[in-house]
Structure formats: C-alpha cells, structure tokens
Amino acid sequence: MAIVVLVGTLDTKGLEYGWLRERLLRHDVEVVVVDTGVAGSPRIPADVPRADVARAAGADLERLRARGDRGAAVTAMARGAAETVLRLHAEGRLHGVLALGGSGGTSIATRAMRALPLGVPKVMVSSMAAGDVSPYVGSADITMMYSVVDIAGVNSVSAPILANAADAVAGMAKGFAAAGRAPVPAGSGADGGRPLVAASMAGVTTPGVDAARERLTGLGYEVLVFHASGTGGRTLETLSGQGLFAGVLDLTLSELADDLCGGILTAGPDRLQAAGRRGIPQVVAPGALDMVKFGPADTVPARMRDRDMRVHNPSITVVRTTPRECAELGRRVAAKLRTATGPAAVCLPLRGLSTLGEPGGPYHDPAADEALFGALRDGLRGSAVDVVETDTHINDPAFGRAASDLLHRMIGGAPVRRVPTPSR
C-alpha cells in the first residue's frame, strides 16, 4: 500500500491535518503523521511525536520550549523533520509527502521535502505560494499550491484546495509505489537505463551544446540540459552532489560571471564544485563568460553603462566582461577545477565564447578572451586537469562533438574515433 507522510505543526494546524488524513484514507493509502510543533498541545495524535522529531535534530523538545525562541525552534524542527522523512524513505515507508502552512510551517516542511531524492512526490499547500517561493523550493521538485486563504480552519474556500492536494498526492504516491522506484540514483546506468549526463546551456551557447547533446545521445547517454539561469546551475550542482550523473558537460559558466560582477542570474559561489567533490568526470568550457546578465536596460549599474550593452530580451540585458574580470573568472574556474577528485578537463574555444563573441560579433574581444584563457592555463599548470585548446568557436558543432568524445572517454566508454577539430 502506498504511504503518504504528513508533516506539520499539530498544535496550530492539527484540525486541518486531521481533515487531510481522513481525505487521504478514502484513497486507500496509509498515512503517517509527523508532528513538528513545539509550543501548544497537538490537536490530533501523531505517528512520529514532536519529541522524536526534535531528537532527530539533536535537540531536546523541553529545552526548545523553555528557550521561547521561535526561530531556533523552527530551525531545529525543520532539521529534525528532514532527518525523519529520510529515515521513513529509507525504510520504504514514504511514497509521497504533503504539508500545509504559513511561512513557518512552509519553511519546516519544505526543508524536509528538499532532503528527499528527486522523483519522490512532494506537495506543499502554502499561503506563501503566490510570492517568491525560491527559498522554499530551492532546486527540489516540490509542487507548490497557493492556499488562497490562510490555513486557519477548513471552510468553503480552503476545503476544495486541500481536497485537491490530498487527491493529487494520493495519486502520485500510488504511482510512485507501483513503479517500485529504487531509493538510489540511477545515473551510472546500473539500473539498466542509459547513463545520465548533465549539460549546461544558455541561448548564446545553444548550437554548440545541441551538437554535444546529439553526440552523447548517439553514444548511448541520456542528456539532461540545465539552463544557466541561476536556478538551473543550482539544480545541476544539487543533482551532481547526489551522484545522479555519470558525467557532467559544463559548457556554459555564465552564472559565475554574474556571481563576480553582480548580475541577476548567479547560481552562488558554489557553482562548479559538486561534480568535482563527488568525483564525477567533468568536461568544462568557459561558455558565455564574455557577458554579465542584468534585468531591463535601466537596471544596469551606472558603473557599467559605458560598456557595450545588448538587449537580450525585454527582461534581460547583457554587458561585456572586461579583460580584468575575465582574468579573475579564469582564476576562479581553475581554483574550482583543481579541487576535483575525479577526472576533469577544460576545453578552450579560441575563436569565441558565445553567439555575441564569435569573430565579427559585438563581443568578439581577443584580448579579453586571452586574459581568461591565460589565467586558466596558469591556474591549472601542474594539476591533473587537462587543458584542451581548439581553434574553433564554442558554437561550432565540431567543438561540441570533441568535448563530448572527451567526456565519453573519461567516463570509461568504448573508444571513439577521434575526429580532428578543423581550423577556421
């Protein structure tokens, strides 16, 4: 029987969780209720009491109560909830998780949801879901439902919304349980499926990445492409850290330029690190490091308005990176790659880094590109990271194919016929 886990504060939302439990039982699923409340008494019985949740976080419930610090209590119970759902999942007692709440309840429950592997059904009904939910969702596959009204009783507005949530997660959990999905990543291909490869891409590197994707597909891989939009890079890092991939083809690093220069599509300072820590083979190229992304043109910082600005679309304006910035980006990429515990290589497309940076394009700046390449060469000298230089543009199909063949050999695939990279 499929099992749905309810995660919530039974002191403030106990009646609503009781209603959800009854709705779920109509679908012939088993329900496990996890209590994450601290202050008042639970309104309904819990299968996992709050004291056990606190203990899972290394905390003591009574001490949390005595402190009277709501922030500390929420943090501890969120950590305990994450440990609890991971244990239930490992025991085969979780096929889906459902929660409801305001800001505090959403924070606790989504911390638990983010701890679960990709594909485990996760539904959050929240009064916060109509705003910026990125702090709650992160890079996880959480389904957010707006509660419309606050979670305060079951009424003519909230009842159909809660019913939809319960009905949805029950169906998801049944499908998940019936599939008999293993709780371990399938990236190695050991499950009989095709090995997974992650690739990073932006609009300005699409032709090259498309060629790489086609090549890898022909070699027997399933390629998952992540848009270098900040969220895409963070997701790539999260899934790499979970060991989901057999290899990573990271041909678009524009999020690092945004992180350095204050652009809006940064993936944070940890970008380009998870695959290396995990020992996953990776081939990297400095795609789109010739630009920083901002919002509409009037949002570009005054210090950069004397540069070549290009309107990518009404919401995105790009600015060319300087030789000094490119040199710093090269140093940062090299420092990250030097820490890799698995095979790694960097491929340098000497004729340009994006559609704007191709010869004759507005961002074609050999001096800036060479500052980047030189810093990479210097930073990787004496390391185990290979530096492969090609006399092509990053969007030349030959570049994408060559990078793919290199990754294939790193992963340990059958030898492929080496195709010489043509000069232009």
Side-chain angles (χ1 to χ4, degrees):
M1 181 180 289
I3 303 172
V4 174
V5 174
L6 296 176
V7 178
T9 53
L10 301 187
D11 47 359
T12 60
K13 310 296 181 192
L15 295 179
E16 295 85 348
Y17 273 98
W19 191 94
L20 279 179
R21 181 175 60 186
E22 294 305 313
R23 180 78 182 195
L24 287 166
L25 291 174
R26 297 183 194 176
H27 291 283
D28 293 324
V29 298
E30 185 177 340
V31 181
V32 174
V33 180
V34 177
D35 185 8
T36 59
V38 171
S41 300
R43 306 289 295 273
I44 63 171
D47 299 290
V48 182
R50 57 183 60 181
D52 291 355
V53 175
R55 193 175 302 113
D60 179 80
L61 180 63
E62 294 307 318
R63 289 180 181 174
L64 286 176
R65 283 177 169 171
R67 285 180 63 183
D69 185 333
R70 186 177 186 274
V74 167
T75 299
M77 297 307 278
R79 188 167 62 249
E83 294 295 326
T84 299
V85 298
L86 280 173
R87 173 179 59 81
L88 292 169
H89 179 258
E91 294 170 352
R93 298 176 58 208
L94 185 153
H95 301 110
V97 59
L98 171 63
L100 53 84
S103 59
T106 303
S107 178
I108 293 171
T110 54
R111 166 73 184 273
M113 292 176 185
R114 292 195 302 272
L116 290 166
L118 178 75
V120 177
K122 314 165 184 76
V123 178
M124 181 75 226
V125 183
S126 173
S127 57
M128 308 299 291
D132 178 10
V133 298
S134 58
Y136 303 118
V137 175
S139 56
D141 55 334
I142 299 173
T143 301
M144 299 288 291
M145 291 182 64
Y146 182 40
S147 63
V148 181
V149 293
D150 204 355
I151 311 294
V154 180
N155 51 56
S156 59
V157 173
S158 64
I161 295 170
L162 298 183
N164 285 341
D167 297 350
V169 80
M172 292 178 187
K174 285 182 176 181
F176 186 83
R181 296 174 191 165
V184 295
S188 66
D191 63 339
R194 290 182 293 164
L196 298 181
V197 167
S200 57
M201 186 173 77
V204 293
T205 61
T206 294
V209 177
D210 276 349
R213 177 175 53 82
E214 291 172 6
R215 178 69 163 173
L216 287 167
T217 300
L219 289 169
Y221 299 95
E222 182 178 357
V223 183
L224 306 184
V225 178
F226 296 86
H227 187 197
S229 60
T231 302
R234 288 192 296 272
T235 304
L236 189 158
E237 295 296 313
T238 298
L239 298 181
S240 295
Q242 293 176 4
L244 188 69
F245 304 121
V248 174
L249 191 69
D250 218 342
L251 302 187
T252 309
L253 302 183
S254 56
E255 291 155 322
L256 292 177
D258 282 34
D259 186 59
L260 172 66
C261 302
I264 63 170
L265 299 184
T266 174
D270 294 333
R271 181 72 173 87
L272 194 61
Q273 293 181 191
R277 282 196 304 265
R278 187 83 185 198
I280 298 172
Q282 55 182 331
V283 172
V284 174
L289 285 182
D290 54 358
M291 64 185 68
V292 185
K293 296 183 178 69
F294 295 98
D298 60 1
T299 68
V300 175
R303 70 182 188 279
M304 293 186 172
R305 291 186 182 176
D306 60 342
R307 304 190 196 179
D308 191 331
M309 297 182 354
R310 300 280 161 166
V311 175
H312 186 63
N313 60 51
S315 300
I316 298 292
T317 305
V318 298
V319 175
R320 210 329 175 165
T321 45
T322 65
R324 182 176 180 180
E325 290 164 349
C326 286
E328 175 59 22
L329 287 166
R331 286 188 286 270
R332 292 189 179 191
V333 171
K336 290 171 183 289
L337 291 178
R338 287 186 72 100
T339 66
T341 61
V346 60
C347 295
L348 304 182
L350 300 181
R351 289 184 175 265
L353 307 176
S354 71
T355 53
L356 296 178
E358 62 188 8
Y363 285 0
H364 181 60
D365 186 341
D369 289 352
E370 183 53 36
L372 171 65
F373 299 151
L376 275 166
R377 295 186 195 104
D378 292 343
L380 294 173
R381 188 168 290 117
S383 75
V385 181
D386 291 330
V387 178
V388 180
E389 302 187 17
T390 62
D391 190 26
T392 65
H393 185 268
I394 195 166
N395 284 323
D396 189 320
F399 179 84
R401 290 193 292 267
S404 299
D405 289 349
L406 178 57
L407 181 63
H408 178 60
R409 291 192 295 274
M410 282 183 175
I411 294 171
V416 296
R417 182 171 63 87
R418 189 167 182 82
V419 179
T421 303
S423 299
R424 282 187 172 182

